[in-house]
């Protein structure tokens, strides 16, 4: 039997994934889920062939340049890869892969959860119960109904389209902006806007689904918030830094934005604490992909990529 390849798994993964990693590899598993800093990760990688990392690991250029020579492949347990400097990995001839395709439904579900939670004032309702509810009244916590509203989707990729599909069943009218227009078959009646500004002006609900790049950082800023119709609801399941927190918090406090549903935050887990003073902000701790089914699928996909690489084939989800 050939010797098993050695891999470091930086976080505790679902049991089924850890078992497969243990069976296929000489694996260092992080059963205690100790969030390694870069120095610790680099030390543990000494003599390892591969790294199975997550979005909580910093793999910027400085870190990649310090990885031991033995490391040939990085598989991230995520679809997003802004934590990895792909160019630096290419320069070191380290193969990088991600996990696209398997977290579309789970993330789209959370976008709908946020739309409902924000528009129907779920956070305020839960706080009211905790504080000792004094009873039903005709005007208590009146929210915004989703039926008949225009949903603007910024970034009509797989997740954006899965959100559109769900939102249609709530009777919403779907609008979108994307780098390129989709075919009529894929659009399914969604209305394309040639500019982001045009989309914003019709977005009673705005759901962000663009990747984080230098171009999309703070894409939702004060000027763009000003373009939204009255009483808009803003949803973010993409990446925290696509929103300018200061601008959104100001708009939530003044009522310019009626409510926001946020699953991701700039600098998470240290989110801007001013959000906590906004009862109209419905906040979740980056739960988009957090179902057993999806987290298993993400782990198996990451392992599939490593398996392919170490078997001498092209990893199916290679990104560098
Ligand atoms: C990803 O995969 O990029 C998610 O944000 C983690 O669920």
């Amino acid at each position: 039997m050939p010797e098993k390849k050695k891999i470091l798994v930086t976080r505790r993964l679902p049991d089924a994934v850890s078992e497969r990693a243990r069976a296929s590899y000489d694996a260092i598993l992080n059963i205690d889920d100790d969030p390694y800093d870069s120095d610790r990760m680099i030390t543990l990688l000494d003599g390892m062939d591969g790294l199975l990392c997550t979005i909580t690991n910093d793999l910027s250029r400085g870190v990649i340049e310090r990885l031991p020579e033995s490391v040939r492949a990085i598989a991230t347990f995520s679809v997003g890869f802004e934590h990895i400097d792909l160019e630096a990995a290419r320069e070191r001839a380290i193969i990088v892969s991600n996990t696209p395709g398997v977290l579309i439904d789970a993330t789209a579900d959370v976008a709908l959860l946020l739309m409902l939670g924000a528009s129907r004032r779920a956070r305020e309702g839960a706080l009211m119960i905790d504080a000792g509810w004094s009873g039903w009244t005709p005007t208590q916590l009146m929210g915004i109904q989703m039926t008949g509203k225009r949903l603007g989707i910024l970034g009509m990729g797989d997740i954006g389209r899965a959100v559109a599909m769900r939102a249609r069943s709530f009777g919403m009218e779907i609008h979108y902006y994307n780098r390129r227009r989709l075919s009529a078959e894929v659009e399914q009646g969604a209305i394309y806007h040639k500019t982001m500004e045009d989309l914003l002006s019709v977005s009673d609900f705005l759901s962000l689904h663009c990747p984080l790049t230098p171009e999309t950082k703070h894409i939702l800023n004060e000027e763009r918030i000003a373009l939204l119709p009255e009483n808009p609801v803003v949803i973010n399941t993409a990446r925290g830094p696509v929103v300018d927190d200061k601008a959104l918090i100001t708009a939530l406090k003044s009522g310019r934005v009626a409510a926001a549903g946020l699953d991701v935050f700039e600098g998470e887990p240290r989110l801007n604490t001013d959000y906590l003073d906004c009862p109209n902000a419905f906040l979740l701790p980056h739960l988009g992909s957090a179902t057993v089914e999806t987290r298993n699928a993400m782990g198996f996909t990451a392992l599939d990529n490593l398996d392919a690489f170490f078997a001498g084939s092209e990893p199916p989800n290679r990104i560098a």
Side-chain angles (χ1 to χ4, degrees):
M1 273 249 294
E3 250 190 31
K4 284 179 178 176
K5 294 289 181 191
K6 297 190 171 104
I7 63 166
L8 173 70
V9 180
T10 61
R11 299 303 300 255
R12 183 185 178 137
L13 298 182
D15 288 349
V17 179
S18 296
E19 274 160 34
R20 181 173 142 187
R22 200 182 278 122
S24 310
Y25 292 96
D26 183 355
I28 299 185
L29 301 175
N30 186 353
I31 298 302
D32 295 332
D33 206 19
D34 177 17
Y36 303 145
D37 62 17
S38 303
D39 288 342
R40 177 109 175 98
M41 182 179 76
I42 291 168
T43 305
L44 289 170
L45 276 168
D46 187 32
M48 295 280 137
D49 303 293
L51 169 65
L52 201 164
C53 66
T54 76
I55 54 167
T56 60
N57 299 118
D58 171 17
L59 286 151
S60 53
R61 173 171 286 278
V63 175
I64 293 208
E65 284 174 350
R66 289 169 57 215
L67 293 180
E69 283 296 321
S70 59
V71 176
R72 305 288 8 120
I74 297 173
T76 183
F77 178 91
S78 62
V79 65
F81 49 83
E82 67 285 340
H83 54 298
I84 308 175
D85 188 321
L86 298 184
E87 197 43 50
R90 273 186 211 107
E91 285 169 22
R92 292 267 324 254
I94 297 174
I95 302 301
V96 184
S97 59
N98 70 340
T99 64
V102 294
L103 39 74
I104 299 166
D105 288 322
T107 308
D109 288 349
V110 167
L112 268 289
L113 171 63
L114 292 173
M115 285 165 73
L116 283 166
S119 65
R120 299 303 298 273
R121 306 176 64 176
R123 178 166 170 209
E124 291 165 89
L127 289 171
M128 190 178 273
I129 293 280
D130 288 349
W133 181 37
S134 56
W136 186 92
T137 83
T139 55
Q140 194 170 74
L141 293 185
M142 293 185 296
I144 295 171
Q145 192 146 326
M146 286 165 63
T147 322
K149 296 294 184 318
R150 297 166 295 181
L151 168 62
I153 298 183
L154 185 57
M156 198 65 150
D158 292 333
I159 298 175
R161 295 203 296 277
V163 169
M165 185 186 86
R166 286 157 173 75
R168 280 188 196 99
S169 67
F170 280 78
M172 301 186 90
E173 185 178 278
I174 313 300
H175 295 249
Y176 75 100
Y177 170 73
N178 207 37
R179 266 170 307 173
R180 58 179 180 83
R181 185 173 182 167
L182 307 177
S183 68
E185 196 192 341
V186 179
E187 264 181 357
Q188 302 211 348
I191 299 158
Y192 173 67
H193 292 260
K194 284 204 181 102
T195 67
M196 187 191 321
E197 285 66 27
D198 212 34
L199 175 78
L200 295 174
S201 70
V202 299
S203 296
D204 300 316
F205 283 67
L206 174 70
S207 196
L208 303 170
H209 297 286
C210 46
L212 176 62
T213 64
E215 293 72 44
T216 62
K217 182 158 183 207
H218 292 184
I219 202 166
L220 190 66
N221 57 16
E222 189 185 344
E223 293 77 55
R224 295 207 175 94
I225 288 174
L227 299 175
L228 294 166
E230 267 184 29
N231 294 321
V233 177
V234 171
I235 304 300
N236 189 8
T237 53
R239 282 292 186 258
V242 302
V243 169
D244 176 345
D245 286 332
K246 232 173 130 206
L248 182 58
I249 289 165
T250 303
L252 284 165
K253 287 193 170 164
S254 70
R256 176 63 188 87
V257 166
L262 308 174
D263 187 46
V264 285
F265 303 90
E266 182 154 21
E268 63 183 52
R270 284 173 296 281
L271 57 142
N272 187 322
T273 50
D274 289 344
Y275 277 123
L276 305 180
D277 301 328
C278 299
N280 48 352
F282 181 58
L283 312 173
L284 294 176
H286 204 146
L287 293 182
S289 62
T291 64
V292 175
E293 294 85 348
T294 294
R295 290 281 163 87
N296 279 340
M298 289 166 71
F300 294 145
T301 304
L303 287 173
D304 289 345
N305 282 310
L306 288 175
D307 292 355
F309 173 71
F310 289 122
S313 326
E314 181 76 357
N317 311 113
R318 180 172 174 179
I319 49 176

